[in-house]
Amino acid sequence: ENPAIKQLTGFTIKTKTPIESEIDKLGLDKSRIYPRTGIPEADRELSRYMAPLIEELSPNMLSNPNYKKLSEPLKRVAIAQLFMDARKEARLQLNKSNPELFLKIKYEGLQDDIKSILKDMGYKFKK
């Protein structure tokens, strides 16, 4: 994170947040926590909305004595649930700020047969 070190050595040293460290420690699969809509722009927007929520909620969870007593599989489930809740809230925020992108996510998530039916009914969607 120090620009001088990066400039002299070419290396970037990033300090991980406590939740990032916990995710690494538990070996949690990143696909369970980060948005993956198939639309890079949407993934970036959702991540941008999720970050402050995770930053606000994760310290309380990680310091909770009940969380600390959980087995590793239960901790993975708890963290995945935290991210699912944050992703759900982020989608609501995206719907308000960029409804067109939100609809694009919804469309991309449909089964191919449903997309075909909608197309046959005359609905047109931007790619």
Side-chain angles (χ1 to χ4, degrees):
E1 291 180 48
N2 185 329
I5 292 174
K6 182 178 179 183
Q7 190 171 15
L8 290 172
T9 65
F11 295 114
T12 302
I13 300 170
K14 182 183 181 302
T15 306
K16 290 185 179 187
T17 64
I19 192 71
E20 288 172 324
S21 296
E22 186 75 356
I23 288 167
D24 288 347
K25 182 178 99 176
L26 296 172
L28 189 61
D29 182 8
K30 305 280 194 250
S31 69
R32 290 178 63 187
I33 56 176
Y34 294 112
R36 16 178 212 110
T37 63
I39 304 167
E41 178 189 0
D43 293 343
R44 284 189 300 274
E45 284 293 304
L46 290 171
S47 292
R48 188 171 62 86
Y49 290 128
M50 286 174 63
L53 296 169
I54 297 297
E55 192 176 301
E56 178 185 338
L57 298 173
S58 65
N60 291 336
M61 185 177 95
L62 296 177
S63 64
N64 186 307
N66 292 327
Y67 173 81
K68 291 179 179 184
K69 292 178 191 175
L70 296 175
S71 65
E72 285 196 4
L74 283 172
K75 286 180 179 179
R76 283 192 289 273
V77 169
I79 289 174
Q81 186 62 51
L82 173 71
F83 275 82
M84 279 181 19
D85 292 345
R87 200 166 33 253
K88 184 177 178 181
E89 181 62 33
R91 282 180 177 250
L92 292 173
Q93 291 179 13
L94 181 64
N95 186 25
K96 290 177 187 173
S97 67
N98 191 339
E100 189 174 308
L101 184 57
F102 179 79
L103 288 175
K104 192 173 183 181
I105 293 170
K106 289 296 216 181
Y107 176 77
E108 288 299 321
L110 294 174
Q111 297 173 9
D112 289 339
D113 288 334
I114 301 295
K115 289 178 186 177
S116 179
I117 291 167
L118 290 171
K119 185 178 176 186
D120 290 347
M121 291 173 68
Y123 291 98
K124 297 187 193 262
F125 297 93
K126 295 179 187 176
K127 289 281 179 176

